[in-house]
Structures are given as C-alpha cells and as structure tokens.
Amino acid sequence: MKNRWLSGPYVIWMVLFTLIPLGVVLYFALTDLDGSFTLANLASMGTYLPIFLRSIWLSVASTAICLVIGYPVAYTIAQAPPLRQKFYYMLVMLPMCMSFLLRTMAWVNLLEDTGILNSLLRSLGLAPLPLIRNNGAVILGMVYNYLPFMIMPLYTVLIKIDPRLIEAAQDLGCNHAAVFSRVIFPLSVPGIVSGVTMVFVPAVSTFYISQKLGSPGATLIGDVIESQFKGAYNPNLGAAMSLVLMVLIFLCIGVMNRFSGSDDEEGMVTL
C-alpha cells in the first residue's frame, strides 16, 4: 500500500502511449472528415471482409509453421548444456540485430526473378521458378521475421520445467513419447500460447512484407490501412479498420488465453 506510488511512472506511460492513442483511434473511427459523428466507417468494413480473411489466413498459416519449427528448436536449446544454450540462443537472436526492412529486402534479392536463387537455377540449365509475388513468399517472410518471437517464450517455459518431473514419469514407466505428451507438452502450453500471440499479432497487421514479397492484387489489411493514411488521405476509414483489427486481435488473444489455464493448472501433470 505504501509503495503504490512506485507504479506512477508506469501508469503515466500507459496513459500517454496507450490510452490516449487508443482514444484518438476511436475518435477518428467514429467521425467523418468534418469531425461529425458517424458509423459509416464501421459499416463499410464488410467491403473489406475478403482482405481481413486473407490476412487472418496467412497469419494463421505462418504462426502454425513458426510453432512447428520453433518448438523443436526451443526444446533442443533447453536440453543443451548451459554454454551451448547461450550460443544457440544468440544464433536465434542474431537476425533481430539487423533491421526488419533489410531482412525483408534480403529475401527479395534471393527470390526475385533475377535474384540469387533463380540465377543459380539458370546457371544449372534449369528454368527459373516463381518464388516471389505469391502467398508462399509472404508466409516465408513472416516465418523468417517472426520465428524468434515463437522460440523465445517456448524456450523460457521449457527451461523452467523441473527435471524431477521427467525423472518421476520415467520411473513410473513412461517412455520418451509418454513423457513428452504427459509432462513436457502440458507444461509448455503457456509458452505456446505466448509464442502464438507474439507471432500472430504482428503477422496479421503486417504490410511491408506483403508489399515486397506478395503480389500486387493480394493486399493485406495492413496495406489497406497504410494506404488510407498515406495514399487516400482518409484517416477516419483507416482508424476504423485499425479498430476492427484490434478487436479481432483481442478476441483471438482471449480465445488462446483460455487454453493456457490458470497458474494452478499449469503445475498439474497427469501421469
């Protein structure tokens, strides 16, 4: 009670950089260019439903791929000796030291029709492949850029699993598959939920990856929002799209958090 004032800086930060910006978005979403109240911006969201669905589909696909790749990587790092853990973790974090834009442009240089990979295929006498300007390239860009956000929370949870629980399961006759399914995986569910959230949220709202790696006709909702602010100069419609996207993200996070369980449930293992 006496130290409640210590939360003052955090409260001020949240008000200035979270609550006020959200209030500004809400104001623009519910007004027109003249500042009058209107629901027309929200009513027009049905027109962009295919773009919303495409964005969610590509984000779900990239999140699932990140989980399939990231879980074994995080588990391998957690099982390694301490010195190797630091080295492996550094390798995971190393791409994050480079600019997000540069990492995406590197894939453009690799995948474009005159890029490194197709130039290599031509030198081998093979026909070039359509590696860019498609949904596969967009998913590849999302997976590459957001994979560390899946590995980090998974590793954090897996490294905290008490080895005595695994030993107890083995003493009770569980093989490796049973130990994983009954001990390791249930205890790692909070890390899975955190990783899925940390990948899905930026993936569903991305726009630079889709602009550089996607086809011109397959825009994502992030591209449309950016165009409303920079091209169409209609911040009210852009704010309405941002508001709807934020609500969808909150709903998805709420659904995923229901699978994480409570703190008491996280410590329970059924053998």
Side-chain angles (χ1 to χ4, degrees):
M1 299 293 292
K2 296 181 179 180
N3 297 328
R4 187 175 293 179
W5 61 271
L6 293 174
S7 63
Y10 173 76
V11 173
I12 295 175
W13 178 275
M14 291 294 295
V15 170
L16 291 178
F17 299 105
T18 301
L19 296 182
I20 293 179
L22 288 178
V24 173
V25 170
L26 182 63
Y27 168 78
F28 277 98
L30 299 178
T31 56
D32 55 18
L33 296 176
D34 297 327
S36 303
F37 175 80
T38 180
L39 295 176
N41 297 321
L42 296 176
S44 64
M45 290 299 102
T47 307
Y48 301 95
L49 181 60
I51 300 178
F52 274 103
L53 294 178
R54 185 186 304 118
S55 301
I56 293 174
W57 154 242
L58 293 179
S59 302
V60 169
S62 61
T63 302
I65 295 174
C66 284
L67 179 59
V68 172
I69 298 175
Y71 197 104
V73 173
Y75 183 78
T76 301
I77 297 175
Q79 295 299 312
L83 290 179
R84 289 188 181 180
Q85 285 185 20
K86 296 179 181 179
F87 176 72
Y88 293 154
Y89 195 81
M90 181 195 69
L91 292 180
V92 172
M93 295 298 299
L94 192 60
M96 306 296 292
C97 299
M98 186 184 300
S99 169
F100 176 87
L101 306 181
L102 292 179
R103 296 200 306 268
T104 305
M105 287 303 300
W107 277 108
V108 174
N109 293 330
L110 284 171
L111 302 178
E112 62 183 354
D113 297 336
T114 57
I116 297 175
L117 294 181
N118 276 323
S119 297
L120 179 61
L121 292 177
R122 288 191 182 93
S123 65
L124 297 175
L126 302 176
L129 298 175
L131 302 176
I132 200 171
R133 291 183 291 277
N134 52 58
N135 290 337
V138 175
I139 293 176
L140 175 62
M142 290 181 179
V143 171
Y144 174 75
N145 282 289
Y146 302 132
L147 182 58
F149 296 111
M150 179 67 72
I151 296 175
M152 288 187 293
L154 282 171
Y155 165 75
T156 302
V157 171
L158 290 171
I159 195 64
K160 294 180 180 179
I161 295 179
D162 194 339
R164 292 175 296 181
L165 294 175
I166 299 176
E167 295 175 359
Q170 293 172 341
D171 292 339
L172 292 174
C174 291
N175 55 24
H176 292 294
V179 169
F180 177 80
S181 62
R182 296 191 177 189
V183 179
I184 297 176
F185 184 81
L187 292 177
S188 64
V189 169
I192 294 175
V193 173
S194 298
V196 168
T197 303
M198 293 178 66
V199 173
F200 177 79
V201 170
V204 75
S205 58
T206 189
F207 58 91
Y208 188 78
I209 294 176
S210 56
Q211 289 177 0
K212 295 302 180 181
L213 299 177
S215 60
T219 58
L220 301 184
I221 191 61
D223 303 314
V224 180
I225 293 175
E226 185 201 25
S227 66
Q228 295 302 317
F229 285 95
K230 291 186 176 181
Y233 300 106
N234 189 351
N236 302 89
L237 182 57
M241 293 179 182
S242 302
L243 181 63
V244 172
L245 181 61
M246 181 174 59
V247 172
L248 290 176
I249 291 175
F250 283 157
L251 290 176
C252 293
I253 292 176
V255 171
M256 288 185 291
N257 283 338
R258 290 186 62 86
F259 292 96
S260 64
S262 63
D263 293 338
D264 295 334
E265 293 173 346
E266 290 172 12
M268 297 177 62
V269 180
T270 302
L271 298 177

